[in-house]
Amino acid sequence: MRPGAPGSRTTRLELFYDLVFVFAFFTVTALTSQEPTGANLLRCLLVLGLLWWCWTGFAGLGNAVRADQGPLPLLGFLTVTATFLLALSMPGAFVDEPGGLNGPLVFAGCYFLVRACQLGVFGVLARGDPARWRQWTRLALLPVAATALLVASALLPHRVAADGTATVLQLTLWTLALLVEYVAGIRLGGTYWAVLSAGHWAERHALMVLIALGESIIALGVGPKFVTGLPLTWPVVIAAVFGIAVASVLWWAYFDTLALALEQALHASRDPVGRARLARDVYTYLHLPIIAGVIFFALGLKDLLAEVADPDTPTWGVPLGGFWVLVLWGGVGLYLLSLVACELRATRVLRWPPVLAVLALAALAPAGARVPEVGALALLALVCVVLAAVQTRSQGRRRRRVRRLALAQEEAVEEAQSRWRHEHL
């Protein structure tokens, strides 16, 4: 295995790994839309949390070693297969459906396989250092404990309690599994957690945000029967424009300046421990609610165009209702507040426009619940577009400085690459 380097970037093989997460995110959305309840929304968050932890293992692996060198591609294909099976088992992750394999046990087994493969590589790297090896042995116990809790959630609840209590017990065991990985993993990690390449770490997480935004567009465009016969009407066209407008603003809010500023702050952190903590807080922790916000937004958009196009529904859709306003508008609000928290942690700068936009959405939520679906989406799009305009204008000098620095870095890298190619190719 070849170690990573401070200047390494995302490899094509890592992008191949991410393809399976496109399917996994789509499955999480489909799983939650089947039963729109608060309990199912919590199940969505729990599954997403464990799925995100699997993905962060891929990100850390690609940062520590070159994922496309030596035996790692073979290990990567194994873990991608396990991750795909993990995604396939998500619809039955909580309840074993009759026929076929036991869904909860398959989910637990695939989760353990993914985490074990990832930690196995770090174990190989730690063999020559007794202190790191002792630390690794403690970390290796965490997926064992988390998997044991998942297995217990599959076997115990319905044997020891009635339906309502069984559901609470099952969700409690899942929450404990999540806490074992997130809380104990970070506390035990200590100096074991290192970020060799700030550029690679920032790029991997930015690409995952992009994948999640792509999921929202897929959810908007692919609904039951829409691509198989429902008419393309003006309400459908207008709803599609509003949906793309919101998705575009979400892209702009992250990628226009914030992603560049976060990466620059990570590069500027020279202390290894300080850099690791910054990477952990901003990317591992605070990017999870960013992804969750986009998934909720995608969940709110799912089937919207199909319902608007259906001749049996009102022209502009049915009233959105309180639950779907919470999901659709709340997803956007969670996304924006997470961006604010990321920038505050990395640069100590508080952006007020996104906070005001979230407050505006909260004030308009009762009206959004009563108007038809297209009207609610139009209100959301209006708030988002105004936010983009105000934020871009208010950033002014700081936005130009961040983007100018990013462009200078890009040009310097391109010049170095061109010089190397001229000399060696």
Side-chain angles (χ1 to χ4, degrees):
M1 293 187 295
R2 297 181 181 274
S8 63
R9 306 294 293 192
T10 301
T11 65
R12 292 181 178 88
L13 184 60
E14 290 176 283
L15 296 178
F16 174 74
Y17 295 162
D18 288 348
L19 293 178
V20 73
F21 285 92
V22 176
F23 172 69
F25 287 157
F26 191 81
T27 304
V28 170
T29 306
L31 170 66
T32 313
S33 65
Q34 292 173 358
E35 186 183 348
T37 63
N40 215 28
L41 208 59
L42 177 57
R43 293 188 182 100
C44 167
L45 286 173
L46 292 172
V47 170
L48 183 62
L50 290 178
L51 182 66
W52 176 256
W53 199 249
C54 287
W55 181 84
T56 59
F58 280 115
L61 190 66
N63 200 270
V65 295
R66 298 185 185 275
D68 57 351
Q69 300 292 325
L72 287 175
L74 294 178
L75 183 66
F77 298 147
L78 174 63
T79 52
V80 162
T81 303
T83 306
F84 187 74
L85 293 176
L86 182 79
L88 287 178
S89 66
M90 282 180 190
F94 291 90
V95 179
D96 180 31
E97 300 294 339
L101 301 175
N102 186 296
L105 292 182
V106 171
F107 183 94
C110 291
Y111 179 79
F112 177 76
L113 181 59
V114 172
R115 296 286 293 123
C117 289
Q118 294 169 349
L119 282 172
V121 175
F122 288 107
V124 173
L125 297 176
R127 283 184 305 175
D129 187 336
R132 292 194 68 192
W133 176 256
R134 287 192 299 270
Q135 206 167 20
W136 177 86
T137 55
R138 293 194 296 268
L139 286 171
L141 295 175
L142 299 183
V144 176
T147 303
L149 288 168
L150 294 178
V151 172
S153 74
L155 300 178
L156 292 180
H158 294 286
R159 296 184 180 183
V160 300
D163 286 346
T165 307
T167 299
V168 173
L169 178 58
Q170 185 183 56
L171 294 177
T172 300
L173 290 171
W174 269 74
T175 303
L176 289 175
L178 200 67
L179 291 176
V180 164
E181 288 282 38
Y182 277 77
V183 178
I186 294 301
R187 290 185 64 85
L188 289 178
T191 55
Y192 183 88
W193 191 308
V195 178
L196 290 178
S197 172
H200 173 274
W201 192 257
E203 185 179 29
R204 291 293 283 125
H205 288 77
L207 289 172
M208 188 50 63
V209 174
L210 195 61
I211 287 173
L213 290 173
E215 158 66 12
S216 68
I217 295 175
I218 292 173
L220 177 65
V222 180
K225 301 186 296 183
F226 184 73
V227 295
T228 60
L230 289 177
L232 181 64
T233 61
W234 278 112
V236 170
V237 171
I238 293 172
V241 170
F242 288 144
I244 294 298
V246 176
S248 300
V249 170
L250 297 184
W251 180 93
W252 184 264
Y254 182 85
F255 287 97
D256 174 60
T257 304
L258 179 61
L260 304 175
L262 296 181
E263 181 176 348
Q264 290 168 10
L266 197 59
H267 278 295
S269 180
R270 299 291 190 266
D271 174 43
V273 176
R275 171 183 282 193
R277 289 175 178 171
L278 181 63
R280 176 196 67 191
D281 296 344
V282 171
Y283 289 98
T284 302
Y285 277 174
L286 290 177
H287 270 59
L288 174 57
I290 291 175
I291 300 297
V294 179
I295 295 296
F296 282 178
F297 173 62
L299 177 61
L301 289 179
K302 187 173 174 60
D303 305 337
L304 188 146
L305 292 188
E307 292 176 2
V308 173
D310 194 335
D312 296 331
T313 61
T315 302
W316 301 102
V318 297
L320 196 58
F323 178 83
W324 288 111
V325 161
L326 175 64
V327 172
L328 183 67
W329 289 24
V332 173
L334 178 62
Y335 179 91
L336 295 176
L337 289 179
S338 302
L339 298 187
V340 171
C342 283
E343 186 159 20
L344 186 61
R345 171 64 179 88
T347 67
R348 300 293 188 266
V349 173
L350 177 62
R351 289 194 191 187
W352 282 106
V355 177
L356 296 177
V358 173
L359 293 176
L361 289 176
L364 292 171
R370 292 192 296 268
V371 300
E373 292 167 312
V374 178
L377 188 57
L379 281 174
L380 178 61
L382 176 63
V383 172
C384 288
V385 170
V386 171
L387 162 66
V390 171
Q391 181 167 289
T392 303
R393 183 176 180 84
S394 63
Q395 284 183 317
R397 184 179 305 172
R398 181 173 180 275
R399 176 176 179 269
R400 290 191 296 270
R401 183 177 67 252
V402 169
R403 292 180 62 84
R404 185 166 56 246
L405 185 61
L407 179 60
Q409 178 188 356
E410 184 178 340
E411 291 174 342
V413 171
E414 291 170 349
E415 181 181 352
Q417 290 176 341
S418 297
R419 185 167 55 250
W420 187 92
R421 295 188 186 106
H422 180 74
E423 295 174 357
H424 298 87
L425 297 181

